[in-house]
Amino acid sequence: MVATAAAAKALGRPIVYVQGNIHAGEVEGKDALLALLRDLTTSQKPNALDSVVLIAVPIYNADGNERFASQSVNRTEQNGPELVGQRANAQNLDLNRDYVKAEAPETRASLAMFNAWDPDVFVDLHTTDGSFHGYALTYSPSLSPAAVFGGVYARDSLLPVLRQRMRSRDGFEIFDYGNFVSDERALISDTSVHEGWATYDSRPRFGTNYYGIRGRIGILSEAYSHDSLARRIASTYAFVEEILSLVAEKSQAIQSLSARADSQPMAWGRAPDSLQMIAVRSELLATPRTMEVIKEDVLKTGDSSFTQPGVPRGERRSGIFRSIRMPVYDRFTSTLDRLPPAAYVLAPPETAAVNLLRLHGVRVDRSDSAWSARGETFTIDSIITSPRAFQGHHEVRLKGSWQRGLQALPQKSFIVSTAQPRGALIVYLLEPESEDGLATWNFFDADLKKGGRFPVTRIFDLSRRGRAAPRRSSASTTQSPQN
Ligand SMILES: [Zn+2]
């Protein structure tokens, strides 16, 4: 047992963080995680806890969990249990849409934990109520193309092995998370595709996508809501146990991946060759792989009564499963890449944005004097505000163009060097055209006007920052601005 982040780090083992119940109606994660903790800690035999540090939070959305109601109210498309918690937290926020804006205390505490303990792997346990498929569990790596380290490694090196082991050692078929296109068209722009399987969303408002952009591994686990509770607990238990075991086996590769993700941005300023493009917008890759996907036939009953919890009125499950070859859309591709500047500079009034960056573990300095440097500013051509509120926000999309020149930067500007761990996250959050950045979530609304300048400037070098503005590189990442 370790009590502090420093003690965990000192063990030199990979750190795995697993949470259940972020959507508190999706209950089996808490049972599976508690059972696994019991078994790992009381077992006399060697197990994964000899090789990894496990941080387990069985009930992440505690307030949602306490708002018990009938499953037919809180979780309509689920095969029991009878009483479950609600999806949202007590503020009515969906915690799995909050990882960028971080408005919920749960998210803010999570980010502080990520910064302090820095888990190599984050596993988020859910239940899916989508298509009728043949899998005990579906999973996803970080889908953001900006997740160049943990996202790709999980997708290509961990999840295929987990899928094989779940089949051969645990007796469960699992597959990449998705829905049949016939059930969920939204993401597929090609309307000639009638049969296919497609994943969800790449944006970091979702926890496991966010965690990939931090340069670490995120794994989404979705038990199958049409299975019994006992089977959902069993599949989730087996999946987490297999993850711990595989992470223990691959500890060296995973820890060096974490180290590389952190050191790469540090090299950006010194060696221009090392600069990597950061994807700030993306779309589902239009060239799918063709694979076999297991589908269950759902039959019309001819009357409008319920047959089973979670099955729509007038339909019943057939128990007939078919493997069908179809296009599988399981990954995203970048539609807008941005090269990291040496730094972003935020105008002095942008303290809300700065507070949020610090919460994300980003070091922000402040200039003591006015200075000038080569850089670029973004002139806003259009501000597209979503007419519909989502999580209490009207999301903003900006279009415009960059102009290069000498930038005059006022005293007390905030300086965010990209040469720090999470450099990719900094670019993603601060670029004006990012699909899920600070501009999206209204942090800059007061300063946005058509024809005006975006309040974040790109700076190409920090060397002329001036004598009166020494680097405060020792500043704590958790410090709040003083004003
Ligand atoms: Zn969920």
Side-chain angles (χ1 to χ4, degrees):
M1 295 285 272
V2 290
T4 64
K9 215 27 119 207
L11 287 173
R13 299 173 185 170
I15 299 174
V16 183
Y17 168 59
V18 189
Q19 71 184 19
N21 238 41
I22 183 170
H23 294 144
E26 304 171 13
V27 289
E28 61 279 346
K30 62 185 172 184
D31 303 274
L33 210 41
L34 286 167
L36 186 60
L37 285 174
R38 175 197 63 204
D39 296 347
L40 290 173
T41 51
T42 58
S43 162
Q44 301 302 309
K45 291 191 224 146
N47 63 49
L49 286 192
D50 300 315
S51 312
V52 303
V53 174
L54 170 62
I55 304 169
V57 175
I59 303 178
Y60 176 63
N61 180 359
D63 293 338
N65 183 70
E66 297 309 309
R67 298 204 171 175
F68 261 44
S70 163
Q71 167 259 316
S72 62
V73 173
N74 270 357
R75 186 79 190 142
T76 50
E77 295 191 29
Q78 184 164 289
N79 188 2
E82 177 48 33
L83 289 172
V84 297
Q86 69 174 25
R87 180 179 180 91
N89 78 346
Q91 297 164 290
N92 208 27
L93 290 175
D94 185 333
L95 296 176
N96 202 29
R97 305 293 183 272
D98 195 46
Y99 280 93
V100 170
K101 60 187 172 62
E103 292 175 315
E106 293 88 344
T107 314
R108 301 172 79 83
S110 278
L111 295 180
M113 187 279 278
F114 293 160
N115 296 337
W117 291 76
D118 197 15
D120 299 282
V121 182
F122 164 41
V123 184
D124 197 15
L125 304 176
H126 293 249
T127 321
T128 186
D129 57 5
S131 293
F132 287 88
H133 57 62
Y135 301 103
L137 186 144
T138 49
Y139 53 76
S140 178
S142 295
L143 293 171
S144 171
V148 289
F149 291 97
V152 173
Y153 182 80
R155 185 189 72 198
D156 296 342
S157 302
L158 296 181
L159 290 164
V161 178
L162 289 168
R163 186 180 171 205
Q164 171 56 36
R165 288 185 180 175
M166 285 287 281
R167 176 186 293 149
S168 61
R169 307 208 291 212
D170 306 289
F172 292 113
E173 286 293 331
I174 68 172
F175 196 60
D176 287 86
Y177 175 82
N179 286 290
F180 293 111
V181 172
S182 47
D183 297 330
E184 174 79 76
R185 276 232 64 94
L187 280 172
I188 312 283
S189 48
D190 181 354
T191 51
S192 69
V193 176
H194 297 296
E195 195 153 54
W197 179 257
T199 188
Y200 70 115
D201 195 310
S202 69
R203 290 172 294 177
R205 61 189 62 187
F206 298 88
T208 52
N209 293 334
Y210 168 74
Y211 211 65
I213 304 178
R214 285 179 70 105
R216 299 289 183 272
I217 292 166
I219 298 176
L220 172 74
S221 165
E222 296 270 0
Y224 184 47
S225 72
H226 304 295
D227 276 344
S228 67
L229 177 63
R231 185 170 152 88
R232 286 172 6 229
I233 294 171
S235 62
T236 303
Y237 180 109
F239 190 57
V240 177
E241 189 179 38
E242 294 290 0
I243 289 172
L244 295 179
S245 166
L246 187 58
V247 169
E249 273 175 59
K250 307 253 187 199
S251 63
Q252 251 183 341
I254 288 169
Q255 286 177 293
S256 74
L257 193 77
S258 294
R260 267 201 294 139
D262 288 355
S263 63
Q264 177 130 345
M266 314 293 270
W268 287 348
R270 294 194 301 270
D273 287 357
S274 71
L275 266 182
Q276 96 211 72
M277 296 287 243
I278 307 298
V280 298
R281 302 191 71 83
S282 62
E283 66 184 17
L284 204 62
L285 187 65
T287 50
R289 299 182 295 156
T290 300
M291 296 178 79
E292 300 235 322
V293 184
I294 306 171
K295 185 172 191 173
E296 182 180 8
D297 293 332
V298 177
L299 306 174
K300 303 270 181 222
T301 59
D303 68 62
S304 63
S305 56
F306 278 118
T307 56
Q308 192 183 357
V311 179
R313 281 175 189 277
E315 295 182 6
R316 71 173 173 85
R317 293 177 64 180
S318 67
I320 299 166
F321 293 90
R322 291 182 296 140
S323 277
I324 304 169
R325 284 186 72 77
M326 62 177 75
V328 172
Y329 299 84
D330 66 350
R331 60 196 64 185
F332 283 75
T333 185
S334 174
T335 55
L336 186 67
D337 288 310
R338 289 298 181 223
L339 212 52
Y344 292 95
V345 173
L346 282 73
E350 304 299 341
T351 52
V354 167
N355 282 337
L356 185 70
L357 289 168
R358 287 182 167 142
L359 202 58
H360 281 285
V362 171
R363 195 189 72 235
V364 182
D365 299 330
R366 197 153 203 200
S367 69
D368 298 325
S369 59
W371 53 302
S372 62
R374 287 188 311 114
E376 286 176 311
T377 52
F378 184 80
T379 302
I380 300 162
D381 294 338
S382 61
I383 304 166
I384 303 152
T385 304
S386 171
R388 276 189 33 200
F390 176 71
Q391 299 288 303
H393 286 264
H394 292 273
E395 293 167 74
V396 166
R397 177 169 182 190
L398 299 177
K399 291 188 176 177
S401 58
W402 290 95
Q403 286 82 37
R404 196 164 284 206
L406 197 65
Q407 309 298 323
L409 300 155
Q411 188 186 17
K412 296 200 181 298
S413 302
F414 293 103
I415 303 166
V416 187
S417 166
T418 59
Q420 55 177 306
R422 297 183 278 286
L425 180 65
I426 292 168
V427 175
Y428 193 95
L429 294 178
L430 287 178
E431 280 292 324
E433 295 157 289
S434 168
E435 65 196 337
D436 205 10
L438 268 54
T440 313
W441 293 106
N442 312 116
F443 279 85
F444 300 121
D445 274 14
D447 305 299
L448 302 180
K449 68 172 195 283
K450 204 175 155 186
R453 283 181 172 185
F454 189 62
V456 182
T457 306
R458 291 180 184 155
I459 295 299
F460 298 143
D461 76 87
L462 284 171
S463 58
R464 293 190 60 207
R465 226 180 98 192
R467 293 169 302 278
R471 269 171 200 269
R472 291 186 193 156
S473 54
S474 59
S476 159
T477 56
T478 52
Q479 209 173 30
S480 296
Q482 298 304 305
N483 57 336

